Each structure stands twice: as structure tokens, then as C-alpha cells.
Amino acid sequence: MSRMLVVSVLVLCMVLPAISGTPGVDYVDGVLVVRFAEDLQPVVGDDGIVKVGDAEMDRVLRRFNATSFEPFFGTYKLQDEDYRYLTRNDWKVNFPAGSEMELIAEEANQCKAVLDAIPDILYTFDYEPNDPSFTAQWWLRAIDAPEAWEITQSDTSILVAALDTGIDWNHPDLIDNIWVNPGEDIDDNHYPVDTTLGFMDVPGTFGDWDQLDNDNNGFINDYIGWDFVTSASVVPGEDGNTPDNNPMDFNGHGTGCYGAMAARTNNSVGGASIAFKSRMISLRCGYTSTDGTGRTSLTAAAGALAYAVDKGAQIVNMSFGGDSETQFMNNAIQNAWNNNLLLFGAAGNDAVSDRHYPADYDNVISVAALNSDGSRASFSNWGNWVDIAAPGVSCFTPWFDDSYDSWQGTSVACPIAAGVGALVISMFPEEDNSLWSQYIIETTDPLSTDHPVGSGRVNAYQAITQFYWPELTIESWNISDPDGNGHPDIDEEIEVTFEVSNEPGWQDALAVTASLEFSREGVDFGTQSITLGNITAGSSANNYDNPLTFTVPEGSLDGEFNVLSLIISCDPNEYQVGESAKLMLGTPEIIFVDDDGGESYDQYITENLDAEFYNYFHWDNAVLASGPSGDYLSQYDGIIWMTGDVENPLSNDEISALQTAMDNGADLFLFGQTLDDQLSGTSFYSDYLFAQSGSGSTQNALDAVADAGGPVIDGSSLLIVGPGGANNSTNPDVIDPISPAVSAYTYFGGSNTGAVYYENDTRKHMYCAFAFEAVSGASSTTSRADVLHAVVTDWWGLDDVEDTEHGTVIPSDFAISSVFPNPFNPTTTLQVDVPLTSEIRLAVFDILGREVATLHQGRLSAGTHAFTWSAYEMASGVYFAVMEANGVRNVSRLVLTK
């Protein structure tokens, strides 16, 4: 389900930020991806130059030495019919290695025949990060972290801390997320280490090393945090005596906790973490004792907690404890709570129900550990005092000495839950820790475990959304079809009805509205928007008594596709969901009647039609329960009708409908391997198809009859067996033409006719008494696609393209004249009207007024220009394109769905 934010008009009054650059992207060398606005067919001429039949685009291809082209999906054949239609004009054009692809794309986008042209972008998955070990981090998926990342990844202002054995703060997966103490950052470079001088083991940078207590907290040069361990009996190699400004981890435990919460993510290093935009205050209050046990002292832990409070931490993780309750530690914890910190404590690893501290202090969220199947980890403590559970087995995180480890325990379950807490704070920055705790505890996934482990497994996505938005689902929606032909016709009023539900436990949906949008103009709305009122959590609503309506007016988008979107909007927090459908509006030139009895033979015809990018309507008799009427067929210029190997496929009504359409001038391409058996001796056979049953032998191959005319390709041969065809030809028939029809194709080795052709001033038809879908093109014979191309182009001229300059129309106003598609995923093209050569700025802003992309900054000549926004890394939601020129400011609303 798509989820997006909607903005009120007040947002448009916000002060917009200054211009900022957009991050660079990588491209496939020498490849341009193009979506044509017209049905253009790239070809490579005898001179080796790629051409598409449009003068403007051909000049671009010639100028930059285009070498070849290929379909967008290569040789793969899309199985989704609607998606095949949607991408039918998409191509990849290849240029020499090293070509300036951004320049080529810019030039191509100026051509009116091009809807969109971009370099073939190399991009990463949106928050399925590129960290090499992310796929092994099952625990991130178990808590729905990737879904949560689409909405928030925390924020650099949110500080997390762990009361633990320290942190390997110069670890390559942590160093970029280390907090730098602003009070000690004298050179104000916000970086924890001086890389230029190579002092990678010393906190701070050269300009900070003044040996002064600049922030007046009693610690000298606490650049990134503090080491609170003192007078401890530690294993050899650890620092156990003097507190200092280097909280380096010698154990690994603390690094693992920090890494689970806030390790750098999407940086091609190591693994991912939960709140990966947070910053980590580096603290060390734990160590490895001489007996090999990890320990921390009360004073060190309480001191570290106080430091975290004073430095503005909002999340504190405590993966340590025991059965002793002390007022000293409780005071420290309640102080932190009173300063609005969110605290997490590990439930312990003793497999008992005994209370464990600090996890069981008031205002600490206690965390048990789970296996990957959601069961309680055998070592995890449990009991009614536990608040929640989190993954705690085989959890891959950063580890000491620039390494990684896969470890287990409530010690790792606790920072996983704490990372979710950081996401919650980023989503609800104005709330307090009592509500943050509620959001985390009440949005878990219920579990069935052997012993109680709290409300359930923490769920990152639900924790940030369940108290923020409703959870609306469009259960069903229906687009009416008054005449039952499968698509809206000209002047036909279409009704759109739907039912929408709101998930129990989520927010009530307030002031719900529903509206329709089309991706292209030219549709008249009757009722475009309605109000549904409120939909409380756990209830549903529909518009069965108040449908949304639209009409396709005469002469507008006749026979063309358009994308219809149903958008449901509501409060709180400007929530929105939607559904889209691709519709054929009006009547195209061609109807393909699929009369194969529900078999899949039709795919061999549709794949050829789709490859040629023809607009056609696919009428499936098995789905629509009957054939089209004569009046309906008469709306089309051409009819392609296949019957496969069905016995007696044509009903009397269907024969009558064909006769009516042919009388009205419709052209017909009819084929099927049992038609001769059914039609022999009928008036339809003799008086309309001008054919009769013949006799003699047949073969699995046919030759074209020379000079037959029309779409019959001289010198061609058809093979009706082999790979590439339907392989359903079992009994082709011999037929004879009745004058004025002529033989079109005859079987190999003789003059026996397998297909006839007829043409007069008003109509044409070709009839094949064999399974045309079985034509394979194998053994260097003519392909089925070539024959269909000949039929369509000879009869209906659908690929005729005038090789002329497009006329230039100068707009009258500065404006963003169109956005297509909209809603979109993940790219859209904006057309900008410029009435006179001017300085133009075109940028995209999010709902908070932050600029997220600059599409153009500079002079544009008079005319209409196209710019593409590729929002691959953006979250779903509403954005605004803002064009500024000559004192004119024009704004268009963009809706990104994912």
C-alpha cells in the first residue's frame, strides 16, 4: 500500500531555503533510456546511423553517434499486460563509451517526440542498504526497519548513548556518526579525528588540542565523550586506571550496542543499523575484569548517565545489570527520565523470571531476547515485569578493532529496541518520553512464547506510524462499464466506487476525502471529489451512494491510454493512500478479439502488437462472456480475430457481428484451425470471406503468393511449428479463394491454399485456415511479428511518421504547464512554458519547505522545455515544483508513490 503526506496551502507560504546543489549519481557508460511520446520505431540504417523517424531526435542521435538500440527490457517479455502497455515506448539507445550522457539526455528532452530521456542510472535500493552484510541482518527485517526507513531514519540532532565498555569510535562503520562536543570543537569542523595528520587513535582534530576545559564541565578536551573507568582490575591491554577523553572499547560489547543502534548505513561498509542518522555520544564505563567478566561500577555507570543527560542525549541503552536495586542508580535513572530521556535496559541472560536492574527500575523499558522465529531465546529472562522483546540471536553488528561479529543476548536485543526509540523521537519530536514509551510498547507484534516477554516484538514501522496516522486500506474499488466493453467510451459517464477501511488500533481518520486524478488532461469530471467524514479505527466507509464520476468528451484522448488515480486523504498529519489503474479511453484503431476458449494462445499475438507499440483493445471472450456486437465492432478500423483450436468457435451472433462490421467498412484479419470445418458452405464463408473448402495435402509451412497484394510479403515463408510460436497447429485446412479474393499463402510443395486475401475500395480482409499464432519464424522463415506489422501498417498505417520539423509554438505565460505522470514512481517529467528568453529557476521542495532537487538554474530560450525529476531516493509523499522567472512564481503539486 502506498503512503504519502499531504500538505495544506499554508505550507506554500513558508520561507524556502537557499539554493543548494543536488548529489551526483552514477550512470551506465554510454546508455540513454528514452520514453517516446509517439509510436516511434528505432532502426539502424544502411549507413549505421540509428534513426527513429523524428527529425529532431534523429539529429540528436546523429550528433552524438548513437550506435544501436534495444528494448528497455532487452529480450525479456513482460508477463503483466498492463505494464507492457505502459512501457511500450521505452527504449535503450547506446552511444560510444565515454559519451556525455547528461548532455545527450538534455538534448533529447528538448525534442517534442520525447517524454523522458535520462542516462541509465546506477542507483541503490531505497534503504535496503548497500552494506555488504545487510542481507544477513535478519533482525532488521524482523522489526520492519526497512519499512520504517521509508519514513524516517532518525535525525542528526538525536543523540544516543550506551552505558557500556566504550565504543570503537574510529571504526569505519561508526566514525562518521560519532557526536562531537560543540563546547570542545574549537575549530568547528564537527569531526572526531584528525585524518590529515594521521592521528586516527586520538580524539579531536589539531585545532581542538588546547588541553583546556572549554565547556566548563570538569573534563579537559572531552571531544567525543568520556572514559569513566578508574581503579579497575582489568585484563592486560585495557585502560583501567585513569578517566580520560578516549572512550575506546577494548571488549567489543559496547561497540556492538552502539553499532546496533546507530552505525553508519548505506555506505558500502559492513552492515546496517536502525537509527542510522543519529549521532553517538561515546561513553566508556565498563571493562573486562581479570576473571574475564564484563563489569561496570555503580559510580562509573551513574557518572556516564549523568554526562549523557547533560550533553543532550535522548536515548540511553543499558545492556548490563544484576538483581541488586540501589537508590543511587535509581536516582540517576529518574533524573534522566525527568530530563526527557528514553531509557532501555536488558532483561538479563539467566533464563529466570527474577527482576533485573536497571531494567526493572521505573521508567526503564525492559527488553527480552527473541529467536528469529519469534520464540523466546532460551537464555532470556522473562516475567510480567518485562515490557517488550526484540531479536537477540545471531545479530551481526560492528565489533571492536574495526571488525564485526554475530552475537546474541538481551545485550543486543536492548539496543535494537533503543534504535527504534530514536526513530520514534524523530517522528514525534514535540512529544515527551512518556508518550514515546507508550508508542513503542503498544505497537509491538503479539507473540506466543513459553513465558511472558512483554507486549510483543518491537515493530519499528508501527511504532512511528500507529500513533501518527490512520492505517487506511482501499479494500476494493470499481470503475463502472455501462456498455460492458471493458473501457470508457466517448460520452459514456463512468462511476468510480470504493470501500476503504481503517485498521483497529491506529488513529481515527478525520475529515476523509476521496478524489480522482488523471495523468493526462482531456477528461471531464462530473464529481471529482467527495467528503466521507471520519472513519474511526476498526471501521470502514464507502461511496456506493455517492460515486465519483467522469466522462471522456468527444475528440479527446480517443483510443489512448490514461492513468486514473483514486486518492483518499485525511487528517491527522495529512495522510493519504491511493490506487491507480491504466485505462483505454475511447476507441483505438484496432480491436483484438481473443476467441481461443480461455487458452493462452493470445499472448503470441499481444506480444507482437505490444512490441510495435500499437494502441489496441484486447477483447477476451472468455473473460467478457461473449463476443462484441456488430455495432461495437464497427467503431474500429481493424479487427484481428483469433479462434485457436476451438471447435465451432463462432456463434451465430458473432458471425452476424462480423458481417455488420465488414458491411460498415471494418477490415478483418481472421485465423483459426477449425474455422473451415464450421463455416464451409455458409453464406458468410462465400459472400464475406470469399472462401470455400478445398482439398489436397497440407504442410507445416507456407509460401507467399507472388503479387497477392496488400500485407502479403512477397518472397516470405511461414513455418507453423517450432520455438517462437504457440505449437498448436495440428490440422491446417486447404481452402480455395472465391473471386474477387486471391490466394495469399500456399502450402509448401504445391498450390494448395492456406490463406486468402481480399480488398476493395471500402474494406480488406485476410483469412488464414490455420493457427497463425503458431507461426514461429524458425529456420530463417518470416516471423509472425513481420506479418502482423505488414497487416497493421498496410491497412491502418499506424506507424507512418512525418519526417518534418515540429512547429514551434511560443507560450503566452511562464508556467509549469504539465507534469506527467503524476502521481509517479519514481520519475516524472515537468514541462515548463517560457514566453521569452529568461533566467529560470526550477526546483522541488518537500512539505516542510526544504529543497530536495534543483532541476534547472539559468537561461532558457522561449518555448516549452522538459525536465525530469528522478526521485529514486525520496520517500513517498507530496512535493512541490516551484518555477521562478521574471518575478513570476508558479507551483505544481507532485505526488510520489512507492
Side-chain angles (χ1 to χ4, degrees), residues 662 665-667 690 740 757-765:
M662 295 169 80
D667 302 323
F690 300 121
Y757 175 66
Y758 167 81
E759 177 179 354
N760 68 12
D761 292 338
T762 59
R763 69 171 182 85
K764 315 175 186 73
H765 77 258

Side-chain angles (χ1 to χ4, degrees), residues 257 260-261 274 315-320 343-348 359 364-369 388-392 407 409-421 458:
C257 290
M261 285 191 290
I274 300 168
I315 296 287
V316 171
N317 183 79
M318 299 177 290
S319 290
F320 65 92
L343 301 112
F344 294 81
V364 176
I365 298 176
S366 53
V367 186
I388 60 173
W407 58 302
T410 58
S411 282
V412 66
C414 190
I416 289 172
V420 173
V458 66

Side-chain angles (χ1 to χ4, degrees), residues 537-873:
S539 65
S540 62
N542 63 66
N543 74 326
Y544 298 152
D545 296 328
N546 187 20
L548 299 162
T549 61
F550 67 89
T551 303
V552 183
E554 185 70 37
S556 174
L557 298 176
D558 192 6
E560 299 183 31
F561 287 101
N562 206 335
V563 178
L564 171 65
S565 296
L566 168 64
I567 300 172
I568 311 293
S569 307
C570 68
D571 286 325
N573 296 310
E574 298 143 340
Y575 178 89
Q576 191 177 85
V577 295
E579 293 281 358
S580 295
K582 188 164 176 284
L583 301 178
M584 168 72 74
L585 304 182
T587 305
E589 291 87 350
I590 306 171
I591 182 172
F592 168 46
V593 181
D594 171 10
D595 195 13
D596 64 359
E599 299 290 341
S600 59
Y601 303 139
D602 55 293
Q603 67 178 305
Y604 295 93
I605 306 303
T606 58
E607 73 180 14
N608 296 142
L609 294 173
D610 293 345
E612 295 288 342
F613 309 135
Y614 299 131
N615 278 344
Y616 67 95
F617 181 67
H618 185 174
W619 181 296
D620 189 334
N621 280 3
V623 173
L624 298 174
S626 67
S629 68
D631 289 340
Y632 181 75
L633 283 178
S634 297
Q635 300 177 70
Y636 295 88
D637 294 337
I639 304 165
I640 300 173
W641 194 306
M642 71 171 295
T643 64
D645 50 17
V646 177
E647 297 291 335
N648 299 314
L650 296 178
S651 68
N652 290 334
D653 287 341
E654 290 171 338
I655 291 174
S656 176
L658 282 170
Q659 291 178 167
T660 298
M662 295 169 80
D663 287 339
N664 289 324
D667 302 323
L668 172 66
F669 181 25
L670 175 67
F671 46 91
Q673 57 182 319
T674 67
L675 287 169
D676 181 64
D677 296 334
Q678 178 186 8
L679 299 177
S680 180
T682 66
S683 60
F684 177 62
Y685 217 30
S686 58
D687 299 337
Y688 281 84
L689 297 182
F690 300 121
Q692 59 187 357
S693 296
S695 60
S697 62
T698 62
Q699 298 290 333
N700 286 324
L702 302 96
D703 282 326
V705 176
D707 301 322
V712 181
I713 305 171
D714 282 347
S716 62
S717 298
L718 308 182
L719 188 63
I720 52 178
V721 293
N727 276 309
N728 65 331
S729 179
T730 57
N731 188 25
D733 287 312
V734 175
I735 57 175
D736 292 328
I738 298 175
S739 182
V742 298
S743 293
Y745 288 92
T746 57
Y747 296 102
F748 275 11
S751 58
N752 296 331
T753 298
V756 300
Y757 175 66
Y758 167 81
E759 177 179 354
N760 68 12
D761 292 338
T762 59
R763 69 171 182 85
K764 315 175 186 73
H765 77 258
M766 186 160 70
Y767 158 52
C768 300
F770 57 86
F772 175 75
E773 65 271 17
V775 173
S776 65
S779 302
S780 300
T781 56
T782 305
S783 70
R784 184 180 61 253
D786 286 343
V787 178
L788 271 174
H789 178 78
V791 170
V792 173
T793 56
D794 182 78
W795 288 3
W796 307 308
L798 296 190
D799 72 342
D800 292 344
V801 179
E802 294 183 12
D803 188 17
T804 59
E805 295 276 358
H806 287 283
T808 300
V809 178
I810 303 300
S812 58
D813 299 302
F814 288 100
I816 301 173
S817 55
S818 74
V819 180
F820 179 75
N822 191 28
F824 67 97
N825 176 22
T827 64
T828 188
T829 298
L830 295 82
Q831 286 196 345
V832 173
D833 288 349
V834 180
L836 59 124
T837 301
S838 307
E839 287 288 328
I840 305 294
R841 184 166 189 267
L842 179 65
V844 179
F845 298 86
D846 65 14
I847 63 169
L848 298 180
R850 298 173 297 194
E851 184 174 331
V852 296
T854 302
L855 304 183
H856 182 78
Q857 176 74 46
R859 293 178 68 80
L860 283 179
S861 60
T864 298
H865 306 265
F867 299 92
T868 296
W869 182 36
S870 299
Y872 293 97
E873 296 185 354

Side-chain angles (χ1 to χ4, degrees), residues 279-578:
R279 293 293 180 261
M280 296 173 279
I281 299 178
S282 302
L283 301 174
R284 179 174 182 254
C285 60
Y287 57 91
T288 307
S289 67
T290 53
D291 63 2
T293 304
R295 297 188 183 277
T296 183
S297 68
L298 167 63
T299 53
L305 179 55
Y307 184 93
V309 172
D310 292 340
K311 291 304 181 184
Q314 292 165 289
I315 296 287
V316 171
N317 183 79
M318 299 177 290
S319 290
F320 65 92
D323 57 5
S324 297
E325 182 181 6
T326 74
Q327 191 62 46
F328 293 101
M329 195 64 195
N330 186 51
N331 288 341
I333 285 174
Q334 302 314 317
N335 174 67
W337 175 261
N338 292 334
N339 279 276
N340 209 33
L341 272 74
L342 196 55
L343 301 112
F344 294 81
N349 300 333
D350 302 313
V352 297
S353 62
D354 298 346
R355 295 175 183 271
H356 195 72
Y357 298 94
D360 193 41
Y361 287 120
D362 288 345
N363 299 318
V364 176
I365 298 176
S366 53
V367 186
L370 300 172
N371 296 311
S372 59
D373 63 0
S375 61
R376 181 185 65 89
S378 60
F379 54 77
S380 177
N381 289 356
W382 51 273
N384 293 328
W385 57 275
V386 175
D387 293 308
I388 60 173
V393 174
S394 300
C395 297
F396 181 93
T397 70
W399 206 251
F400 169 66
D401 202 16
D402 297 351
S403 66
Y404 297 86
D405 198 7
S406 184
W407 58 302
Q408 67 181 32
T410 58
S411 282
V412 66
C414 190
I416 289 172
V420 173
L423 296 183
V424 168
I425 294 173
S426 70
M427 198 69 175
F428 303 92
E430 303 302 320
E431 305 287 6
D432 60 26
N433 51 8
S434 62
L435 286 175
W436 296 333
S437 298
Q438 176 188 352
Y439 297 165
I440 294 167
I441 295 171
E442 294 185 9
T443 60
T444 56
D445 293 324
L447 298 171
S448 177
T449 55
D450 57 347
H451 296 294
V453 288
S455 62
R457 181 174 54 210
V458 66
N459 185 301
Y461 173 74
Q462 291 175 184
I464 64 174
T465 58
Q466 193 164 327
F467 285 87
Y468 191 80
W469 281 319
E471 180 80 348
L472 296 182
T473 301
I474 299 175
E475 300 290 351
S476 62
W477 69 307
N478 179 67
I479 303 169
S480 70
D481 185 17
D483 62 4
N485 66 1
H487 62 93
D489 287 314
I490 302 298
D491 294 331
E492 188 176 41
E493 184 177 65
I494 306 300
E495 295 184 348
V496 178
T497 54
F498 60 87
E499 180 177 0
V500 59
S501 65
N502 190 7
E503 189 75 14
W506 294 66
Q507 299 302 290
D508 291 344
L510 308 177
V512 182
T513 62
S515 61
L516 298 179
E517 291 185 4
F518 274 101
S519 58
R520 300 170 64 187
E521 296 180 353
V523 178
D524 291 341
F525 289 104
T527 302
Q528 185 177 7
S529 178
I530 59 173
T531 300
L532 295 174
N534 300 337
I535 304 177
T536 58
S539 65
S540 62
N542 63 66
N543 74 326
Y544 298 152
D545 296 328
N546 187 20
L548 299 162
T549 61
F550 67 89
T551 303
V552 183
E554 185 70 37
S556 174
L557 298 176
D558 192 6
E560 299 183 31
F561 287 101
N562 206 335
V563 178
L564 171 65
S565 296
L566 168 64
I567 300 172
I568 311 293
S569 307
C570 68
D571 286 325
N573 296 310
E574 298 143 340
Y575 178 89
Q576 191 177 85
V577 295

